[in-house]
Amino acid sequence: SSDVCSSDLSSAGIGCFNRFETYVGIDNQYSEYFITNLAPTEDSWRNGNDREVVCVLTTDDLATSGSARGSRR
């Protein structure tokens, strides 16, 4: 369906949190990484041209490089 309400988009990032520990290898509350997401706007969802939620990991350490996958950091 092309119908979406703002609560659907607001909760889109729950999937990112649910996948965090499996991806990084440690519970997010003990990790140096912060998780956020990029989700479609209500307009782009309605138009059907944007249905992807992207999970993004960040850190306070600007010198961090490489993948967070399996890092247990």
Side-chain angles (χ1 to χ4, degrees), residues 4-59:
V4 66
C5 66
S6 59
S7 65
D8 292 331
L9 293 176
S10 297
S11 63
I14 291 173
C16 294
F17 281 99
N18 291 341
R19 291 170 176 84
F20 184 94
E21 186 171 357
T22 300
Y23 187 81
V24 177
I26 190 172
D27 187 284
N28 71 314
Q29 77 180 46
Y30 303 112
S31 177
E32 69 184 57
Y33 290 104
F34 305 100
I35 190 164
T36 190
N37 68 78
L38 305 173
T41 64
E42 288 185 48
D43 287 339
S44 67
W45 183 277
R46 270 193 221 102
N47 292 333
N49 61 353
D50 188 4
R51 299 289 175 92
E52 186 174 20
V53 174
V54 178
C55 302
V56 179
L57 297 177
T58 62
T59 182

